[in-house]
Amino acid sequence: RWRPFAIMAIGWLLIRLGQGGQGGVCMRRGYQCIREGEASIYFPEGERHNVFYNPAQCFNRDISIAAARAFYSLRVNRTLSHRKRRNNTAKPTLRILDALSASGLRALRYSLELGSDIIHHVTANDIDPNASRAISENLRRNRIPESRVSISNTDVRHLLNGGEGQRFDVIDLDPYGSAIEFLDSAVQAIEEDGMIMVTCTDSSVLCGRYPETCMGRYASVGLTAPYMHEMALRILLNSISKACGRYRKVSVPLLSLSVDFYVRVFVRIHTSRLAVKRMAAATGLVLQCVRCPYFKVVPMVRGESKYTAGRIEASVCEICGGMQFKMGGPIYTGPLHHREFVQEVLKIASNDTLSQSLATRKRIMGVLSVVLSELNQTVM
């Protein structure tokens, strides 16, 4: 129970000491100023805890900035290759939604660090009126006009598929806890070939400590095993895949990370009836021997063009000969990462000019280097 709070306290201490690049704390005319990247957020003295700010998530925000830039770069290359045939070389820009914005820091950083060449508009949404007032104050102090960043004070599900019916190229879901309740709305509101970034901080649920809660939230069961963090990612990706399938869409994982106390995935969404059918074959159950580390993944659907239900044969453990297995899943069994996307994010993090505002750039480079080395590995 105390681990997330300890991590937050350590992260806060690091920022106070100014370690890792741009982070820092200062006092200005009765306000506490916290600087991260190129953005500064302000809190009246003694009121910082009225709006949630988590310094331990600096890595999350940094890699999201790099991922948004990488996604734009790859998307522009694909789009221009199609438009050249019609003599239209105008570069598209991104409409980004920071769905649960709190202090507005993430939205501010998207606007300031990606710039007008990449960003068309950023929407900072939070249902808390205190958060909306804080975002407004931070926009003013960072001199960002409302034409670039707008504020929304509503339930994000209403914003995405309610009366307003807005659509976005990039949707960032970073709640406190699970993002599962927002996935259906996000899938409906994302533009074709858009990207959804999802964080879930309920790692203990996804990693098998509370199987009944995991089944209720994700319609899946996690297992406490050496591979539990990867399984947590695959449970979340399976939930995203199911949300997409309802609308004849498919999710393509670009980057999937288990970091500290949370999981973070970046997925591209596009429409394809055929790909939705193929996703059935990328869903499986996990059988874990109760006596030793042996496990195997059993596909729930088999086939390539014609599909049949998967089968679980009478199983005997290949290591200890045991015949009792714990069952977990269903999980997504396809690739966790997209090579071209990972290489592009790593390229951005390695560029001194593009990554100068990323306080955790060295950590990003290290994590992505490991990801590249694991791209050819099989499931778990």
Side-chain angles (χ1 to χ4, degrees), residues 4 7 9 25 32 52 66 118 178 182 199 238 302 314 334 346 365:
I7 294 173
V25 180
Q32 185 181 43
F52 185 73
I118 296 177
S178 175
F182 308 113
T199 299
N238 181 62
R302 295 182 178 183
L346 182 58
M365 293 166 62

Side-chain angles (χ1 to χ4, degrees), residues 109-127:
R109 291 193 61 185
Y110 282 135
S111 179
L112 291 170
E113 296 175 34
L114 298 181
S116 58
D117 291 340
I118 296 177
I119 298 297
H120 174 72
H121 188 77
V122 179
T123 300
N125 178 78
D126 202 287
I127 197 171

Side-chain angles (χ1 to χ4, degrees), residues 198-252:
V198 184
T199 299
C200 290
T201 62
D202 57 340
S203 294
S204 60
V205 173
L206 287 165
C207 290
R209 186 173 182 182
Y210 305 104
E212 73 288 357
T213 304
C214 192
M215 177 59 74
R217 289 181 187 172
Y218 300 95
S220 184
V221 174
L223 297 176
T224 302
Y227 50 79
M228 60 187 178
H229 296 291
E230 180 177 339
M231 189 173 184
L233 289 168
R234 295 186 178 278
I235 289 174
L236 175 57
L237 289 171
N238 181 62
S239 295
I240 297 173
S241 177
K242 289 195 301 180
C244 290
R246 298 185 189 105
Y247 305 100
R248 299 174 182 173
K249 296 181 179 181
V250 66
S251 59
V252 179

Side-chain angles (χ1 to χ4, degrees), residues 5-133:
F5 300 100
I7 294 173
M8 289 170 61
I10 292 171
W12 174 249
L13 178 61
L14 290 176
I15 287 185
R16 287 189 65 89
L17 295 175
Q19 294 183 358
Q22 300 294 319
V25 180
C26 62
M27 298 302 298
R28 295 183 181 178
R29 296 181 183 179
Y31 279 82
Q32 185 181 43
C33 168
I34 299 174
R35 182 166 181 81
E36 185 179 292
E38 295 182 12
S40 299
I41 56 175
Y42 298 81
F43 302 94
E45 285 189 67
E47 297 185 16
R48 192 181 75 80
H49 297 289
N50 287 349
V51 177
F52 185 73
Y53 166 70
N54 188 353
Q57 292 270 31
C58 181
F59 173 81
N60 186 327
R61 290 184 284 267
D62 280 354
I63 200 168
S64 297
I65 297 294
R69 187 183 292 275
F71 173 73
Y72 171 78
S73 176
L74 297 177
R75 192 186 196 198
V76 163
N77 292 337
R78 287 195 301 269
T79 303
L80 290 183
S81 63
H82 293 299
R83 289 185 174 183
K84 282 180 181 179
R85 303 169 189 170
R86 296 174 289 178
N87 297 322
N88 181 2
T89 58
K91 291 186 177 181
T93 50
L94 300 178
R95 289 163 293 174
I96 298 180
L97 170 65
D98 183 10
L100 303 133
S101 198
S103 64
L105 176 58
R106 195 178 295 251
L108 296 176
R109 291 193 61 185
Y110 282 135
S111 179
L112 291 170
E113 296 175 34
L114 298 181
S116 58
D117 291 340
I118 296 177
I119 298 297
H120 174 72
H121 188 77
V122 179
T123 300
N125 178 78
D126 202 287
I127 197 171
D128 184 357
N130 291 326
S132 296
R133 287 191 290 269

